[in-house]
Amino acid sequence: MNLYKYASPAMFYPLAGKIIPWFAISSAILFVVGLYVGFFVAPVDFQQGDAYRIMFIHVPAAWMGMFLYVLMAIYAGIGWAFNARLASMMASSISITGAMFTFLSLVTGAFWGKPTWGTWWVWDARMTSTLILLFLYIGFISLQASIEDTRRADRAGAVLALVGVINVPIIYFSVQWWNTLHQGATIRILNKPTIAPPMLAAMLIMLVACWLYSVAVVLIRLRQIIVEREQNAARFAEVVT
Amino acid sequence: MRSLSEFISLGGYGFYVWGSYLFALVAIGGEVLSLRRRKKSSDKEGR
């Protein structure tokens, strides 16, 4: 089987259509399971009471915001370097979902900060760098929307996306590099997690649910972008001939 | 198992916790709805 053929939008379109429902359905199931574990199995936290339950949406949203940015920059870079249209369209599709999750992480963070820190917002290193991440997404989206020629829009977006990647490690390590109000990482690759197993389970299930959701919605939007670009090309051809 | 009113108030944190999840529902639901609307408008043009 020749996998490269799926790099062409025309071949990719029906394949994506076949796999989307699987991601959408499993995502919906895992959201329900994750919320069930998070609200009915996980115990009350001895320090934060029930306020910590915001974590089950806040942490996955923040992770998705960062992961999707890196993924978007990689696709934008591939689309630029190899002149691969589908990769550029993928980057455009990811940008909306990434911005949504970043915004969600900021809002849920404010909802968590108010009862635990006494404030909705502080100009703390992690929160400020996450706000910059949201601005990078918004910059990418509006830059692409403002350029008529789609391939030029793709290239301009790729430059912005790749330059902005530097912000992701800054967000990740901000709690170690600076003295911040935001708490440090709960999950580390080499150390034991510092939370109870049902809390960890609920958070990981929600993270997987957010991943599956992202795959489904990004592929749906990608198919949509393929259709729209084709319509644009057809309209352009009509004007020329 | 706690009672329904205890579950809703969540030890006084109900507003913040439910506010977070309500916003998540609005954000995710909003993304899905706007995508559906986008598809409808291009379907119309395609015909």
Side-chain angles (χ1 to χ4, degrees):
Chain A
M1 192 168 106
N2 180 9
L3 275 175
Y4 285 106
K5 74 180 184 185
Y6 290 115
S8 106
M11 293 304 296
F12 175 80
Y13 191 91
L15 174 75
K18 257 177 242 155
I19 60 177
I20 285 166
W22 296 102
F23 284 101
I25 292 164
S26 48
S27 158
I29 292 169
L30 285 186
F31 270 125
V32 173
V33 173
L35 288 174
Y36 177 81
V37 175
F39 280 90
F40 296 103
V41 182
V44 175
D45 187 73
F46 78 101
Q47 269 185 331
Q48 295 199 5
D50 279 301
Y52 90 92
R53 293 187 203 274
I54 294 173
M55 174 179 88
F56 304 134
I57 187 69
H58 173 71
V59 175
W63 280 352
M64 292 311 298
M66 289 192 288
F67 284 145
L68 288 177
Y69 190 90
V70 175
L71 204 60
M72 174 184 88
I74 291 171
Y75 274 113
I78 291 173
W80 183 23
F82 301 105
N83 200 20
R85 283 178 304 152
L86 191 62
S88 298
M89 292 186 223
M90 187 68 150
S92 304
S93 181
I94 291 170
S95 66
I96 311 277
T97 304
M100 188 280 286
F101 274 119
T102 306
F103 188 51
L104 183 55
S105 82
L106 288 169
V107 172
T108 55
F111 270 116
W112 198 357
K114 186 62 184 168
T116 50
W117 302 336
T119 176
W120 298 100
W121 179 264
V122 278
W123 292 100
D124 147 282
R126 174 156 276 180
M127 292 152 83
T128 307
S129 52
T130 305
L131 186 65
I132 292 171
L133 183 73
L134 180 63
F135 290 158
L136 283 167
Y137 275 123
I138 294 173
F140 180 89
I141 294 165
S142 40
L143 182 66
Q144 289 218 310
S146 68
I147 301 175
E148 192 104 5
D149 177 351
T150 49
R151 291 306 286 160
R152 263 191 62 218
D154 287 341
R155 280 195 298 274
V159 176
L160 177 68
L162 288 168
V163 170
V165 162
I166 187 72
N167 188 45
V168 173
I170 293 177
I171 298 173
Y172 189 80
F173 292 109
S174 58
V175 285
Q176 297 173 26
W177 291 346
W178 290 285
N179 207 346
T180 66
L181 191 55
H182 195 286
Q183 68 194 67
T186 310
I187 317 283
R188 290 183 213 92
I189 293 165
L190 297 175
N191 301 355
K192 269 198 180 149
T194 53
I195 56 173
M199 298 182 184
L200 179 66
M203 198 170 76
L204 293 179
I205 294 168
M206 290 293 279
L207 179 68
V208 176
C210 288
W211 255 118
L212 294 168
Y213 166 80
S214 301
V215 173
V217 87
V218 162
L219 288 180
I220 294 171
R221 192 181 298 104
L222 181 58
R223 274 165 53 104
Q224 185 58 29
I225 292 171
I226 292 172
V227 170
E228 285 169 8
R229 287 198 180 187
E230 222 135 85
Q231 287 178 346
N232 278 345
R235 215 179 303 127
F236 180 73
E238 253 170 51
V239 173
V240 171
T241 49
Chain B
M1 204 67 196
R2 34 184 167 183
S3 72
L4 184 67
S5 65
E6 279 172 329
F7 185 70
I8 290 168
S9 76
L10 287 178
Y13 293 118
F15 170 74
Y16 303 103
V17 177
W18 298 125
S20 294
Y21 285 93
L22 187 69
F23 186 82
L25 190 70
V26 169
I28 290 174
E31 187 183 13
V32 172
L33 281 181
S34 77
L35 196 52
R36 188 166 290 181
R37 202 170 310 142
R38 187 170 167 178
K39 183 172 174 353
K40 255 188 204 142
S41 78
S42 78
D43 281 356
K44 213 182 278 168
E45 196 188 328
R47 258 175 264 132

